[in-house]
Amino acid sequence: MIYPLPAVMVSCGTSPEEYNIITIAWTGTVCTEPPMCYISVRPHRHSFNIIKDSGEFVINLTTKKLARATDWCGVRSGKKYNKFEKMNLTPEKASFVKAPLIKESPVNIECRVTEIKPLGVHHMFLAEVLGIHADEQFINKENQAFHLDKANPICYSHGKYYELGNFVGKFGFSVQKKKSGMPTGKKKPYRQEGKRLIISKSGKNRKDER
Ligand SMILES: Cc1cc2nc3c(=O)[nH]c(=O)nc-3n(C[C@H](O)[C@H](O)[C@H](O)COP(=O)(O)O)c2cc1C
């Protein structure tokens, strides 16, 4: 009943023959420093052993454009299909892990599994975030702010996919005295690589107290 949440496409596999994509809704951030997240996967999924054996995966955020692929990868198994080919998605080399990034996704999060916790029908893969790729077209060059909303992200609620709704307020607006739309913190340490940017893992001068 904890909805809405993101429906992400998790890519995995260490070679092109093994590459696969599984759609995951049971996912989230669990720690800011060190940056950590989780995905929960049922053991009979084709992706389960791939992720377990390789100890790696990539979380790819999804958009309205990717909605069909997101759903399809969540109802078809890699046992039968090459999901990259079927959905016309492009596997791209990651920086830290062997699992591929999905090029068409606006944000790719490279993860290394630190612990597998059997919970019940799902096993939770706790993972350390090694690097993040953010599509440059959504980064404001002047203030380095990342505008994921411009990528039309989708979320998942009670079996349905939705776009984001209207803007309601920003973090801390409830206690803010002066109106100010501009970010005040130092710039994030981005590292350029090809068409994309990698936000470095350390994120040293990042102020995020959530
Ligand atoms: C929106 C959505 C969310 C899903 N979330 C999860 C999840 O969190 N964990 C899980 O094990 N399966 C989840 N699934 C189901 C798998 O994605 C699905 O069984 C998929 O076909 C498995 O692919 P694979 O056999 O290639 O690994 C979800 C499916 C959809 C459509």
Side-chain angles (χ1 to χ4, degrees):
M1 291 302 281
I2 304 176
Y3 286 117
L5 35 70
V8 299
M9 287 196 282
V10 170
S11 45
C12 56
T14 55
S15 64
E17 307 76 57
E18 191 185 47
Y19 286 170
N20 194 35
I21 303 169
I22 174 171
T23 300
I24 292 286
W26 297 166
T27 183
T29 303
V30 288
C31 184
T32 302
E33 194 56 53
M36 292 188 72
C37 59
Y38 84 96
I39 57 170
S40 282
V41 185
R42 291 183 186 243
H44 61 87
R45 308 287 190 226
H46 180 65
S47 307
F48 184 88
N49 282 331
I50 299 178
I51 296 171
K52 187 171 173 240
D53 295 345
S54 63
E56 297 173 348
F57 60 89
V58 177
I59 292 178
N60 304 273
L61 300 194
T62 56
T63 61
K64 191 176 175 189
K65 231 174 164 178
L66 291 170
R68 185 170 179 271
T70 304
D71 187 63
W72 201 87
C73 292
V75 292
R76 290 286 180 261
S77 179
K79 267 181 215 146
K80 277 197 180 168
Y81 298 96
N82 179 327
K83 299 192 195 180
F84 276 96
E85 276 179 24
K86 284 280 178 194
M87 289 293 103
N88 276 321
L89 296 171
T90 318
E92 208 172 46
K93 200 176 165 350
S95 302
F96 302 100
V97 298
K98 286 188 180 151
L101 315 175
I102 299 176
K103 189 177 179 208
E104 289 76 11
S105 163
V107 178
N108 322 97
I109 302 163
E110 298 190 40
C111 302
R112 180 166 298 143
V113 178
T114 56
E115 193 182 333
I116 305 173
K117 227 173 157 34
L119 301 172
V121 295
H122 288 84
H123 289 200
M124 179 173 71
F125 290 91
L126 258 183
E128 182 186 6
V129 173
L130 303 180
I132 300 175
H133 303 252
D135 198 325
E136 239 185 88
Q137 61 174 305
F138 305 115
I139 293 175
N140 180 327
K141 296 281 177 322
E142 274 155 36
N143 62 8
Q144 296 289 304
F146 183 58
H147 295 284
L148 182 64
D149 52 319
K150 296 220 158 58
N152 263 324
I154 50 168
C155 61
Y156 180 69
S157 188
H158 297 279
K160 291 173 182 160
Y161 307 96
Y162 295 89
E163 291 181 66
L164 294 185
N166 294 331
F167 175 75
V168 177
K170 66 173 195 174
F171 181 83
F173 83 100
S174 60
V175 293
Q176 204 163 22
K177 288 194 181 105
K178 273 189 188 165
K179 250 193 174 179
S180 140
M182 295 302 290
T184 49
K186 284 182 189 166
K187 284 180 182 173
K188 289 171 195 164
Y190 290 123
R191 177 156 70 85
Q192 187 113 30
E193 196 168 278
K195 276 202 309 186
R196 294 184 171 207
L197 294 173
I198 295 180
I199 302 164
S200 84
K201 190 190 153 195
S202 68
K204 283 249 157 43
N205 40 4
R206 196 160 161 225
K207 264 209 159 172
D208 187 346
E209 277 146 18
R210 274 163 288 178

